[in-house]
Amino acid sequence: MPEPLTRRGLLQGSAAAAAAIPVLGDAQAAAPARPQRQKEQAQMSAVGLTVNGREVHLQLDPRTTLLDALREHLHLTGTKKGCDHGQCGACTVIVEGRRINSCLTLAVMHEGDHVTTIEGLGTPEKLHPMQRAFITHDGYQCGYCTPGQICSAVAVLEEIEAGIPSHATEDLDRVAFSEGEVRERMSGNICRCAAYPNIVAAIREVAGHGTAEDKA
Amino acid sequence: MRPFTYSRAASVEDAARTAASTQGARFIAGGTNLLDLMKLQIETPTHLIDVNHLGLDRIEPTAEGGLRIGALVRNTDLAADKAVRRDYAVLSRALLAGASGQLRNKATTGGNLLQRTRCPYFYDTRMPCNKRKPGSGCGALKGMSRSLAILGTSDACIAQHPSDMAVALRLLDAQVDTVGADGGRRSIPIADFHLLPGETPHIENALKPGELITSVTLPKPLGGTHVYRKVRDRTSYAFALVSVAAVFEKDGRARFAFGGIGAKPWRTDAADAAAPSGAAAVAEAALSGARPTAHNAFKQQLTARTLASLYRQKGA
């Protein structure tokens, strides 16, 4: 019986095909380019992290971003690479309790740090309340930005709770939940499908300021 | 990214010494600007010195009644600091108007002062840019210059300074405290820290090779009403077209600093002196000597309107 056709399977197939092309390309390329490449081989650096409660030790080229360490070395592919330049927020993870763009930080700079990715927030069997709310409110379409949106949203509620002000805060000493606060604080997470109203509704529900019934 | 080696500094003196004696070395703090530029090979350091673990992340009062902000204090923490919110609200407001929550959680006080222009010709390595590649020319002069500077520019460069935080620090007369490669310490007034492009737009600040920012010191609080108004293409997470930082006194005096329009955070004595005469007079004084292009001439009117809006808000 043939394997069922899945998107992941298709993507893996095409990734393998794509990977083969540069090999051919290199073989045909002018030979002198190769020694130069080898000379550029970087030192490897050891780094120890705690990712989703699990201690991991890696040997990495110092160029490896935290994002690439998570995806390529630890195979935690829930965290997504969008722009790779800190503009889209798809790579948002929580490090030492704070949300950051994992694409704009080097893994070697995080020795001893605790990292939480979407895989650490919840599982299909035991969803985090924010994951459940995104499903309830249809807070996505294609889903690519969703892990970053959810990691960011979880941290946003903690930031409001901690009294950290934002650009939308009228009185810097009185930080309170509002839709305006959510929209401002989530502006570093871009959704190409523009699921924004539903994302705000999901965050509202988890914050205890509205439920699915309210919306209906 | 080009390959580089990586080390952690043991002390600020060690960091400065290593940076001065290692060819191609750069400090890395938050990394939000440097790594972005390294991926584009606009920055190509061969050695990175991590300065994140040197205890430079504290905010403490000074004997003079001011505030000393460690160079590694994150933008989020600086904006949220109780003393900053109470006594230097314009700084909180400027910080919160910049970047995204994720970036502010990483970006540092020292790094923000050193962030580089967002001129599209600086970012596009196929285009000439005197800042990126000295002597290659300026693609922006006759190019798409809508976002670029109208004050302090030269025939070699019309790039705008991107920082919101630095505009507030300029308004507050902050000092930039450093340690040099020889271990010597000095304080640089913020007015002298950023340099105008002139013939050498690649030299952006007064730091000497290896010199490390250790803290930023604010003088004692000014009092007054603090405001920061940023006008941009989106309501959040975008660089300023025009921004105005201001502190208004009850007697009509005020001081102003401007972002988005200058080659460095912009402030003039003449604009401050014009405060009692109203927004139009302040705008005229601030914009004296402006050299706009056809694309960014609108920034003059936008500056005047932003000031008018601030005067109305203050009166309300």
Side-chain angles (χ1 to χ4, degrees):
Chain A
M1 207 172 83
E3 295 261 323
L5 194 60
T6 64
R7 185 170 62 163
R8 184 164 296 271
L10 262 179
L11 287 172
Q12 280 168 349
S14 53
I21 295 166
V23 174
L24 282 173
D26 273 358
Q28 288 162 355
R34 296 304 291 172
Q36 182 63 32
R37 283 265 175 89
Q38 274 164 4
K39 218 168 67 185
E40 285 184 359
Q41 280 286 331
Q43 66 170 31
M44 297 297 270
S45 299
V47 62
L49 305 163
T50 303
V51 181
N52 300 330
R54 186 167 64 98
E55 218 176 285
V56 296
H57 295 275
L58 297 168
Q59 285 287 332
L60 298 172
D61 182 322
R63 286 177 289 185
T64 313
T65 60
L66 179 59
L67 172 62
D68 285 341
L70 292 170
R71 287 184 56 85
E72 309 298 332
H73 295 266
L74 298 172
H75 308 294
L76 292 167
T77 53
T79 308
K80 296 294 185 266
K81 183 181 281 193
C83 68
D84 208 24
H85 286 277
Q87 296 169 4
C88 77
C91 69
T92 303
V93 298
I94 300 168
V95 177
E96 294 293 298
R98 301 182 140 206
R99 58 181 172 140
I100 64 168
N101 301 109
S102 62
C103 75
L104 281 189
T105 192
L106 299 172
V108 291
M109 294 167 72
H110 291 280
E111 174 65 39
D113 280 359
H114 288 70
V115 181
T116 303
T117 70
I118 190 71
E119 292 94 339
L121 282 181
T123 62
E125 296 74 36
K126 195 167 181 241
L127 293 170
H128 184 280
M130 192 66 78
Q131 291 173 312
R132 187 180 305 285
F134 266 66
I135 294 169
T136 306
H137 292 273
D138 216 7
Y140 50 82
Q141 196 179 120
C142 81
Y144 195 80
C145 72
T146 311
Q149 298 276 4
I150 290 175
C151 284
S152 208
V154 168
V156 159
L157 294 186
E158 284 167 9
E159 286 164 16
I160 293 173
E161 194 67 30
I164 292 170
S166 86
H167 182 61
T169 310
E170 229 164 273
D171 179 345
L172 292 174
D173 293 327
R174 287 168 203 265
V175 178
F177 182 93
S178 72
E179 268 196 33
E181 286 282 2
V182 171
R183 287 179 186 280
E184 162 59 26
R185 290 170 191 265
M186 291 296 291
S187 70
N189 291 84
I190 311 295
C191 174
R192 182 63 184 81
C193 307
Y196 299 113
N198 298 359
I199 291 170
V200 174
I203 298 172
R204 250 189 104 83
E205 183 185 313
V206 177
H209 289 264
T211 63
E213 289 75 38
D214 291 346
K215 200 182 165 235
Chain B
M1 273 186 263
R2 304 299 295 265
F4 55 83
T5 48
Y6 167 88
S7 67
R8 283 187 179 198
S11 65
V12 290
E13 290 81 8
D14 168 55
R17 207 180 317 112
T18 308
S21 61
T22 311
Q23 185 90 21
R26 292 289 305 267
F27 301 121
I28 187 161
T32 53
N33 190 207
L34 182 60
L35 289 171
D36 180 25
L37 295 170
M38 284 168 65
K39 288 180 182 189
L40 298 165
Q41 299 193 9
I42 294 166
E43 296 268 13
T44 53
T46 50
H47 183 66
L48 287 184
I49 303 164
D50 188 340
V51 294
N52 277 288
H53 307 277
L54 301 178
L56 300 175
D57 54 355
R58 284 187 286 273
I59 302 174
E60 50 202 10
T62 65
E64 294 76 30
L67 206 60
R68 184 172 300 110
I69 302 157
L72 270 288
V73 172
R74 311 287 158 174
N75 286 178
T76 298
D77 298 319
L78 184 54
D81 181 78
K82 212 170 171 186
V84 175
R85 278 188 283 172
R86 184 185 62 224
D87 298 329
Y88 308 96
V90 66
L91 179 56
S92 283
R93 290 293 182 191
L95 284 159
L96 295 172
S100 66
Q102 290 97 313
L103 290 168
R104 290 193 298 272
N105 278 344
K106 278 308 273 182
T108 64
T109 309
N112 192 318
L113 281 174
L114 298 176
Q115 73 171 306
R116 308 202 65 190
T117 185
R118 262 61 181 189
C119 174
Y121 297 89
F122 174 72
Y123 264 79
D124 187 344
T125 51
R126 294 162 302 182
M127 301 299 288
C129 171
N130 287 321
K131 193 184 269 300
R132 174 167 35 78
K133 196 176 173 199
S136 63
C138 173
L141 273 171
K142 289 191 164 57
M144 306 289 283
S145 53
R146 180 174 176 273
S147 62
L148 304 181
I150 59 175
L151 288 159
T153 58
S154 71
D155 290 339
C157 181
I158 59 169
Q160 83 285 34
H161 197 274
S163 173
D164 293 295
M165 183 196 81
V167 176
L169 292 181
R170 179 70 186 88
L171 185 82
L172 295 167
D173 288 327
Q175 302 254 338
V176 183
D177 312 314
T178 69
V179 61
D182 59 0
R185 294 181 180 257
R186 65 168 176 153
S187 288
I188 308 164
I190 185 87
D192 303 332
F193 183 79
H194 294 108
L195 304 179
L196 290 178
E199 293 300 305
T200 53
H202 59 291
I203 304 171
E204 297 177 349
N205 58 60
L207 294 177
K208 299 194 177 101
E211 195 170 5
L212 174 71
I213 301 174
T214 53
S215 58
V216 170
T217 302
L218 300 178
K220 61 178 197 245
L222 289 167
T225 303
H226 290 223
V227 286
Y228 188 77
R229 181 68 64 86
K230 181 175 181 178
V231 185
R232 44 187 161 172
D233 285 330
R234 298 186 298 227
T235 54
S236 183
Y237 197 21
F239 287 95
L241 291 168
V242 169
S243 72
V244 182
V247 173
F248 290 99
E249 309 287 345
K250 281 207 175 80
D251 61 6
R253 287 181 302 148
R255 57 165 82 188
F256 304 93
F258 301 85
I261 57 175
K264 60 186 250 180
W266 204 254
R267 181 155 177 231
T268 66
D269 292 340
D272 291 1
S277 307
V282 174
E284 194 184 331
L287 296 168
S288 162
R291 297 197 331 161
T293 66
H295 289 146
N296 64 21
F298 76 96
K299 287 193 176 189
Q300 297 171 102
Q301 197 172 34
L302 193 55
T303 303
R305 288 177 175 175
T306 308
L307 280 161
S309 162
L310 283 185
Y311 267 81
R312 264 201 308 280
Q313 180 190 342
K314 163 191 75 101

